Amino acid sequence: MTFKNRIINPAPPNLPLGPNEYERRYQDQFANILRLYFNQLQNALAEITGNAGGKYLAFPYGAFSDFADQTTTINTATLMGLSVTDFSNEVSLQTGSKITVANAGVYNLQFSVQLQNLDNAPQDVFIWLKQNGTDITGSTGLVGMPARKSAGVPFHDIKGWNYFLSMNANDYVQIYWSTTSVDVTIQTYAASGTPTKPSTASVVATLSFVSALPT
């Protein structure tokens, strides 16, 4: 992947071999080569440490979404599907649910889910995370979904939160959910008018690099 606003990394200079005896011309050439190299380094560091230095840095990240309705059976652990890669740099989507990192680090996972309840009674939804297939302790969120508004008119809500994750290279994280009624679903909605509005993704998830792993 090619990024704009990248600082050129100066190559180490090819220094000439010195003569057996002192020679002014050689010393001047040697000093000029080093001066040019150190000037390039100084310019690069000045850009990075300036007020807008962050624009030159590319961190690992990934943004993914899904545009399909997702259903489950009662009280059953179910994967949330992701099918679209919106942005990706060293973070990729594998097998439709595994958000996978190429580099070790602390990452911030953020996601939102468009929920719908068509049942005539309130229902619960549980959402949690697994890393490399293992439940992450403390990651479960409990969402209460009110009953439908009226016959055939569901209750809608969007829920989202974020977690910090410590991940090694090639680790992956997945989002799971379960519900107390088959009438609770994860929905996508088409674009609509009055006023004109774009479509709604059923699931949106991003994973952003925060820091190297602590030692």
Side-chain angles (χ1 to χ4, degrees), residues 57-99:
L57 305 178
F59 294 102
Y61 59 81
F64 314 99
S65 56
D66 195 72
F67 288 84
D69 297 338
Q70 300 188 32
T71 61
T72 185
T73 54
I74 296 175
N75 299 324
T76 301
T78 306
L79 270 170
M80 281 191 197
L82 293 163
S83 59
V84 179
T85 297
D86 300 302
F87 299 95
S88 178
N89 179 41
E90 300 293 308
V91 177
S92 61
L93 181 64
Q94 307 293 330
T95 64
S97 67
K98 297 178 179 179
I99 304 175

Side-chain angles (χ1 to χ4, degrees), residues 9-210:
N9 185 20
N14 185 16
L15 298 175
L17 296 175
N20 293 328
E21 298 181 359
Y22 174 80
E23 183 179 336
R24 172 68 181 273
R25 185 174 58 181
Y26 165 78
Q27 289 298 124
D28 289 343
Q29 181 185 12
F30 185 86
N32 285 334
I33 292 173
L34 287 181
R35 186 180 298 111
L36 175 61
Y37 178 64
F38 287 123
N39 284 341
Q40 290 175 329
L41 285 178
Q42 183 181 24
N43 292 337
L45 287 173
E47 291 290 341
I48 292 176
T49 57
N51 292 335
K55 70 180 182 180
Y56 296 105
L57 305 178
F59 294 102
Y61 59 81
F64 314 99
S65 56
D66 195 72
F67 288 84
D69 297 338
Q70 300 188 32
T71 61
T72 185
T73 54
I74 296 175
N75 299 324
T76 301
T78 306
L79 270 170
M80 281 191 197
L82 293 163
S83 59
V84 179
T85 297
D86 300 302
F87 299 95
S88 178
N89 179 41
E90 300 293 308
V91 177
S92 61
L93 181 64
Q94 307 293 330
T95 64
S97 67
K98 297 178 179 179
I99 304 175
T100 307
V101 302
N103 305 281
V106 176
Y107 287 81
N108 183 12
L109 172 68
Q110 301 187 58
F111 64 90
S112 63
V113 184
Q114 181 65 59
L115 296 168
Q116 173 178 294
N117 183 18
L118 195 55
D119 196 83
N120 59 7
Q123 300 295 339
D124 289 331
V125 179
F126 298 86
I127 301 173
W128 69 97
L129 305 177
K130 288 190 178 188
Q131 186 169 343
N132 302 330
T134 301
D135 290 333
I136 297 178
T137 301
S139 68
T140 299
L142 173 57
V143 178
M145 293 290 292
R148 67 187 184 188
K149 299 176 182 179
S150 60
V153 181
F155 177 85
H156 311 278
D157 199 2
I158 187 167
K159 297 296 182 183
W161 53 84
N162 67 286
Y163 295 91
F164 271 28
L165 302 170
S166 177
M167 306 182 75
N168 293 313
N170 300 315
D171 278 3
Y172 64 88
V173 61
Q174 295 169 297
I175 309 171
Y176 277 78
W177 71 297
S178 70
T179 180
T180 53
S181 171
V182 294
D183 288 323
V184 175
T185 56
I186 299 174
Q187 291 292 129
T188 184
Y189 302 118
S192 60
T194 318
T196 301
K197 302 176 289 297
S199 60
T200 300
S202 54
V203 182
V204 174
T206 64
L207 190 66
S208 305
F209 182 85
V210 175

